[in-house]
Amino acid sequence: MKARNLESRIIKLEGRARHAGEMLLIWSRSNERAEAVLEKHRHLFDPFDRVGIAPWPAVDEPPAPAWYGNFPIGISEREWTALGKLLQEAAGQATDQLEYKRLSEWSDADLWYELLRVDRRAGHEIRH
């Protein structure tokens, strides 16, 4: 009986596990702290899930947090525009040829996660 319960529990846990390309994208307001953003949306993710926080550059309401199966496929055009600005800033900071080579070996999902990951933004204000 215990083996069957353990097996069904493992199956449930594996079903909840996210795949490498999956990421939760949360848009933040100007000067909002990463910890506050995470706490507000804590119910949407588990501790080891990929979560990205991006600053919303417009004055209108940011898009709702959303899971993307193969990030960034599926994001809206206005989200693409906002992410494009963020990517341009990051590209301007990457001046080392070795860094460019290293980044070129990553998948799109890994690159975006590196740019948006929460642990890089924790403890800092998210600025526009």
Side-chain angles (χ1 to χ4, degrees):
M1 185 73 156
K2 285 185 180 184
R4 180 179 275 170
N5 288 341
L6 182 59
E7 183 179 338
S8 72
R9 193 158 180 219
I10 289 171
I11 290 169
K12 285 180 186 177
L13 287 172
E14 287 176 347
R16 284 184 52 193
R18 306 276 179 194
H19 300 288
E22 289 182 289
M23 185 169 78
L24 174 64
L25 177 60
I26 302 173
W27 293 98
S28 66
R29 292 257 179 226
S30 175
N31 296 324
E32 198 171 13
R33 293 184 92 44
E35 291 87 356
V37 174
L38 290 176
E39 194 55 41
K40 185 168 41 173
H41 301 291
R42 180 80 53 204
H43 63 285
L44 297 175
F45 61 92
D46 289 326
F48 296 105
D49 288 340
R50 282 187 169 193
V51 178
I53 298 176
W56 185 245
V59 293
D60 63 337
E61 191 67 26
W67 276 100
Y68 295 96
N70 190 10
F71 193 84
I73 295 172
I75 66 172
S76 71
E77 189 172 326
R78 68 185 215 158
E79 289 175 301
W80 257 124
T81 302
L83 286 177
K85 292 176 185 177
L86 199 61
L87 187 59
Q88 285 177 337
E89 289 174 17
Q93 295 170 4
T95 56
D96 185 349
Q97 285 288 36
L98 183 60
E99 188 172 352
Y100 277 121
K101 182 179 181 333
R102 180 176 63 93
L103 294 178
S104 69
E105 296 170 356
W106 290 1
S107 71
D108 286 351
D110 289 339
L111 282 169
W112 282 110
Y113 178 63
E114 181 66 22
L115 182 63
L116 303 172
R117 75 177 192 227
V118 172
D119 59 335
R120 292 189 71 182
R121 298 193 178 276
H124 303 285
E125 289 181 351
I126 301 167
R127 301 192 180 184
H128 296 275

